[in-house]
Amino acid sequence: MVILSTDRKLILGSNSPRRRELLGMLVDDFTVAAVKNVEEIYPADTPADDVPVYLSRLKADAYKADLKPDELLITADTVVIHGADILGKPHDVADARSILHLLSDDDHRVVTGVTLTDINHQSSFATTTEVHFDRLSDEEIDSYIANCRPFDKAGAYGIQEWIGAIGISSIHGCYYNVMGLPLHDLYHALRRF
């Protein structure tokens, strides 16, 4: 197995356990930075597909002053978009149920924005994955919410969990992107950077 090697110290600016796990598939040595409190607010007229890159840059900017010359920071943000609407993390059971009913028997897209930053440069990209859910029954939705507690997940679901296994009939694009980090595109971006 070839793991990406670099002479820079890689820093992941994220508190997501999924992103930590995914980045570990590409590199064997990286540091997770102490999470900065970044208010994830974007201009109201920002197109939904542009929001993840905007937020990944906002997160990067919070760390930039602390970077050393041999460090490379990775920040990311993932959104679930249904039509033109961004579906955030559910606030409670009722919100999770409402989001999953909306996604049931329909298509949506998952967009992750990634920003690579060092003391001299910054580069960003976005990756989109199209996802289709079969019709989900009330019983399936309620069981998933009760057992998996998807309150920390955009769109109220994790593709790697039970609901993804039984409900997602197709995806077009990167599976890992739906988990929160587009590994194929990130690998090649790191090599170029």
Side-chain angles (χ1 to χ4, degrees), residues 7 52 61 93 140:
D7 57 352
D61 290 345
V93 170
E140 290 165 338

Side-chain angles (χ1 to χ4, degrees), residues 8-41:
R8 299 188 196 211
K9 295 177 184 170
L10 292 180
I11 300 170
L12 177 63
S14 175
N15 63 357
S16 165
R18 289 172 296 283
R19 285 200 182 107
R20 279 183 237 148
E21 176 187 346
L22 291 171
L23 185 58
M25 294 173 68
L26 295 185
V27 296
D28 57 3
D29 187 27
F30 64 93
T31 302
V32 178
V35 175
K36 303 266 186 175
N37 288 328
V38 176
E39 202 167 356
E40 295 184 16
I41 296 175

